Amino acid sequence: MSSYNETLDWQFESSNLYMPIYYKGDLVGFLNQEYASEIIKFLNEEEVLTKALKKACTDLLQKTGGDTSQVKHMMKKYIKISERPKYGTRAIAVLLNQRQKELDLNSQEFTKFCDTFKVSPTELNNIYTGEVVDDILLAPLSRILGISKERLLAVRDGSEEESAA
């Protein structure tokens, strides 16, 4: 008969070393030695970038005569507009930019490409400037992007389930 430990699917291997992780001198947890250095490097880089953004926002507010107590609000605003849009016209514009890069076309060539799929240069420009995408454009845009009309509709209208994919 086998021992109890051999019949378990999940096991702990004692040879894996876990390292203590500290934040500003306080123990916050333990990480597997294999991943610890990469995770700590990422966290430190993120902290440096956050400090740089805070300093830049503070400097900007001081130079423009703004209220420096609004630094955190300004930081959140810049982070929000820097994130990739998940839904709406801006998300479709990002998808179009990605598609242009995939096809290795310059702006003029991509505009002609889209025009062959019945998305005029004016309609394309309207998408890039953030205007609402009409239902009539969903079919040609889905062909241009190589995604289903349903997925494109979900991206346009903000379905979290589809746009997160």
Side-chain angles (χ1 to χ4, degrees):
M1 181 172 211
S2 63
S3 74
Y4 177 74
N5 284 340
E6 292 175 1
T7 61
L8 297 175
D9 289 335
W10 294 87
Q11 296 181 5
F12 174 79
E13 187 165 327
S14 60
S15 65
N16 284 343
L17 298 176
Y18 288 85
M19 302 182 69
I21 304 301
Y22 298 91
Y23 180 70
K24 296 184 178 179
D26 295 327
L27 179 66
V28 293
F30 296 88
L31 288 174
N32 183 300
Q33 185 175 0
E34 182 179 347
Y35 308 109
S37 64
E38 283 299 312
I39 292 171
I40 295 302
K41 179 181 172 187
F42 171 80
L43 291 171
N44 282 325
E45 286 173 357
E46 182 182 17
E47 191 166 332
V48 168
L49 292 175
T50 302
K51 286 178 183 178
L53 177 61
K54 184 175 184 177
K55 181 161 179 35
C57 289
T58 301
D59 289 350
L60 180 63
L61 286 169
Q62 286 173 343
K63 287 180 182 176
T64 60
D67 182 6
T68 56
S69 69
Q70 295 295 313
V71 169
K72 286 186 181 183
H73 173 72
M74 186 179 237
M75 289 173 63
K76 287 179 184 178
K77 175 186 152 191
Y78 280 109
I79 289 170
K80 178 80 173 155
I81 62 175
S82 297
E83 291 176 337
R84 178 189 170 118
K86 295 178 182 167
Y87 53 88
T89 305
R90 285 183 54 224
I92 294 172
V94 169
L95 291 173
L96 286 166
N97 282 327
Q98 283 179 331
R99 185 65 172 150
Q100 179 180 343
K101 288 177 186 169
E102 288 171 7
L103 297 171
D104 194 25
L105 300 173
N106 65 34
S107 295
Q108 186 178 8
E109 292 168 333
F110 188 68
T111 300
K112 287 179 184 177
F113 172 77
C114 291
D115 200 23
T116 64
F117 284 94
K118 308 296 184 215
V119 176
S120 72
T122 302
E123 291 166 326
L124 192 59
N125 188 56
N126 290 344
I127 293 169
Y128 288 133
T129 59
E131 291 188 25
V132 176
V133 176
D134 292 327
D135 288 344
I136 198 162
L137 292 176
L138 291 176
L141 284 171
S142 70
R143 289 191 300 271
I144 291 166
L145 295 170
I147 62 176
S148 72
K149 186 177 171 182
E150 292 76 23
R151 179 160 185 269
L152 183 60
L153 183 65
V155 170
R156 182 193 71 179
D157 296 341
S159 170
E160 291 295 325
E161 190 175 300
E162 286 292 327
S163 61

